[in-house]
Amino acid sequence: MRATCRLPRFQRSVLFVISIALSGCSNGTQTGTAPTPRAEQARTALNWALCPDVPNTQCAGLRVPVDPAKPDGPKFTLRIARVPALDPRRKKGVLIFLPGGPGAGIVQIIGGDVLTESHVDELRREYDVVSFDPRGIGESNPIRCAPNAVPSPHPPSGRAPTADQFAATRDANAALFKSCYALTGELFRHLSAMDTAADVEQIRLALAPKDGLIAYGGSYGSHYGQAYLERYPDRVKAMVLDAVVDHSVDLPTLSARNVASVGDSFDRFARWCKGDVSCALHGQDVDTVYDSITAKMPLTRILVAQFLSAGNNPHFGWPIIAKMMAEVNRGDTSLLKSLTATGSGATASTSEDPSARAGKNGLFPGVFCADYGPQSDYNALLPPANALASEAARFVWKFWDSYPIAHASLGVPDCAGWPWPASNPPHGLVVGPHPNVMVANPAYDPATPLSNALAVWMQIPQARLLIANVDGHQSWLLSRCAFDAELRFLENPSSTQRTTICAK
């Protein structure tokens, strides 16, 4: 979904197409009640200092258990960051951004120029704006893997793997996962959304113990939000789930929805080119050009799918895709190389530690496989893949892809060779009525299709629904109307009607 010249805001938010042991569930309406005195006693004093890698932002470390089910067991330090409210006297509370990806952290969510794109400067008029490096990411005990165990990526061919090729992928992944566990330790087995939800509760206790959670979760952050809602339903004061991951379906279904949505977005891009003279491919058959350039340069498959998440953004969306395709079709690869560097930069680790750089290749499947389980049965994957071959033939390679960092894509084989059962297996949400939750999505989101959001909305009785009539990933970033409506909801959930339709 994401992974990302300067990365477009959409690609920063989701670099991959890009997202249970239940406790505290209730059948009654939840209203974000204040925590108990015992919870208040759990508040931890934090030592804030300027973040060394995020300008004008304060960072602190919070000790949390590796296994939330064993609060007295081994702990690690979770890095959290805040941009303080401009006027403490007007502050309404603490607003927490739940990072997406999985793989995004403080730098990608509220760092540098992202402050403006995520509306942080507006939000801090009334809130302390907070985010964090999720477990295994950034400075929160990053996952480490053996560099020589990272599989070497191959350009996507557009063809399904053979059974032998799938077995080779499974075995290579298994070796990678084994090295990640050896170098990281038990944390590698505790990367599920439920584990991160427990960390979010520790952040709330440390920052706002007398208030309920106010949070925005985009992309995979929406999955963290759903897990929090299940585990701590009475602690949610207001929550927006945007660009939604649906955890009620298995990984092949989730991936198939993504592939079909990418195909739909490509069709919309082709129709735009047909009707808009500014498109570099105007007057040409876009499908034919795509088939030609991907046959000559398979890497173009990756870039087209990746940059569709920027919608019609003039710098990183449809216009730049059309220009790149037109140039490659003429034999000019200069823009292709530039965009490849941009896309690779979005997903690559900046760590000086080789094992931490390699660890990004373990982190992404580590999260997904903890939530969706191993996917090692080749024959079971053939029926959904064959169905996609007729529905979205140009992008079915994404279903079979197994290089989430190199190709910025979620593929079912990412979890081939995962050695443990899902610790947070797919299931329908078990929550009572919750009018203080809003589910939001762009109408045409290639990374997280609207069908995901509608499915999740129907699992949360009395939740609000917002649909932004825009192309691309995350309504919060794409539509001013959507952002304004979501902010009003976070400030006062009862002020928002059952459904909201937004334009740009």
Side-chain angles (χ1 to χ4, degrees):
M1 291 186 219
R2 83 261 40 46
T4 73
C5 38
R6 190 176 79 88
L7 249 194
R9 56 193 180 190
F10 320 109
Q11 315 247 340
R12 269 194 298 261
S13 305
V14 288
L15 303 181
F16 317 95
V17 163
I18 347 70
S19 221
I20 294 177
L22 303 178
S23 67
C25 295
S26 168
N27 293 322
T29 299
Q30 306 300 335
T31 58
T33 57
T36 63
R38 179 182 177 186
E40 291 185 30
Q41 294 172 4
R43 183 171 185 175
T44 301
L46 298 175
N47 296 317
W48 295 100
L50 290 176
C51 306
D53 54 345
V54 188
N56 305 314
T57 304
Q58 301 173 351
C59 282
L62 179 65
R63 298 289 288 174
V64 298
V66 170
D67 182 353
K70 299 177 181 178
D72 297 324
K75 292 180 169 60
F76 71 98
T77 299
L78 189 82
R79 186 172 78 148
I80 60 179
R82 71 177 179 186
V83 182
L86 290 172
D87 185 351
R89 295 170 298 180
R90 296 181 56 195
K91 189 176 81 169
K92 294 183 178 179
V94 176
L95 172 59
I96 300 178
F97 275 90
L98 309 179
I106 294 166
V107 173
Q108 294 79 17
I109 300 301
I110 61 171
D113 61 344
V114 187
L115 285 171
T116 300
E117 297 169 348
S118 295
H119 307 286
V120 173
D121 288 337
E122 295 178 66
L123 297 170
R124 65 183 304 214
R125 296 170 188 167
E126 297 180 325
Y127 295 96
D128 284 346
V129 181
V130 171
S131 194
F132 60 103
D133 286 342
R135 49 178 55 216
I137 295 169
E139 299 301 317
S140 294
N141 203 112
I143 299 302
R144 288 176 165 80
C145 306
N148 62 2
V150 177
S152 298
H154 303 287
S157 67
R159 297 186 300 272
T162 65
D164 288 343
Q165 289 170 332
F166 183 85
T169 294
R170 180 197 61 214
D171 294 345
N173 283 352
L176 172 65
F177 300 149
K178 182 178 180 179
S179 81
C180 299
Y181 184 73
L183 293 176
T184 304
E186 194 65 18
L187 182 71
F188 190 60
R189 294 191 62 180
H190 293 281
L191 298 173
S192 76
M194 273 295 177
D195 293 316
T196 294
D199 296 340
V200 173
E201 173 63 358
Q202 292 303 308
I203 294 172
R204 187 196 66 80
L205 288 172
L207 299 182
K210 296 182 180 180
D211 202 2
L213 180 76
I214 304 173
Y216 167 85
S219 195
Y220 213 78
S222 71
H223 186 20
Y224 297 149
Q226 292 169 61
Y228 186 95
L229 181 65
E230 281 199 306
R231 188 163 185 161
Y232 309 101
D234 60 333
R235 309 290 169 83
V236 176
K237 185 175 183 178
M239 178 185 290
V240 171
L241 308 174
D242 186 15
V244 178
V245 173
D246 181 10
H247 193 234
S248 70
V249 297
D250 60 18
L251 189 57
T253 301
L254 186 76
S255 177
R257 286 181 184 175
N258 166 241
V259 172
S261 190
V262 172
D264 290 343
S265 291
F266 182 80
D267 291 343
R268 287 179 60 78
F269 157 68
R271 287 196 295 272
W272 167 77
C273 273
K274 183 177 181 179
D276 193 321
V277 296
S278 70
C279 174
L281 294 173
H282 183 69
Q284 301 181 55
D285 187 312
V286 174
D287 290 346
T288 299
V289 173
Y290 178 88
D291 293 341
S292 174
I293 67 169
T294 55
K296 292 183 292 187
M297 304 200 72
L299 285 175
T300 54
R301 298 180 192 273
I302 301 169
L303 292 175
V304 171
Q306 183 179 7
F307 284 85
L308 282 171
S309 284
N312 58 5
N313 178 283
H315 303 294
F316 293 97
W318 293 350
I320 203 71
I321 294 172
K323 185 178 180 182
M324 181 271 291
M325 290 175 61
E327 290 186 3
V328 172
N329 201 39
R330 295 194 303 264
D332 181 354
T333 60
S334 55
L335 182 56
L336 170 65
K337 292 176 181 177
S338 175
L339 293 179
T340 299
T342 297
S344 298
T347 51
S349 171
T350 58
S351 174
E352 296 181 358
D353 180 350
S355 64
R357 290 200 301 271
K360 288 208 72 171
N361 295 274
L363 179 279
F364 186 86
V367 174
F368 263 102
C369 306
D371 283 331
Y372 287 92
Q375 308 290 324
S376 297
D377 187 343
Y378 174 76
N379 290 326
L381 300 180
L382 290 175
N386 291 338
L388 282 173
S390 59
E391 182 178 0
R394 291 182 174 88
F395 299 97
V396 72
W397 67 267
K398 291 174 63 65
F399 181 91
W400 291 110
D401 195 69
S402 59
Y403 307 108
I405 302 304
H407 293 174
S409 182
L410 165 67
V412 180
D414 291 342
C415 289
W418 184 253
W420 306 289
S423 58
N424 176 35
H427 64 280
L429 286 171
V430 184
V431 295
H434 236 305
N436 45 353
V437 174
M438 173 181 277
V439 178
N441 221 83
Y444 310 104
D445 186 333
T448 49
L450 180 59
S451 56
N452 284 356
L454 295 175
V456 170
W457 176 60
M458 294 181 69
Q459 295 171 50
I460 309 174
Q462 298 183 17
R464 281 19 182 182
L465 175 69
L466 182 147
I467 300 174
N469 188 25
V470 292
D471 292 88
H473 188 61
Q474 289 186 239
S475 65
W476 181 277
L477 303 175
L478 291 162
S479 165
R480 181 71 208 192
C481 168
F483 167 72
D484 288 340
E486 290 164 22
L487 180 57
R488 285 195 301 272
F489 176 82
L490 290 172
E491 293 173 344
N492 182 10
S494 64
S495 68
T496 304
Q497 59 194 15
R498 174 76 165 163
T499 57
T500 301
I501 306 297
C502 271
K504 194 78 171 180

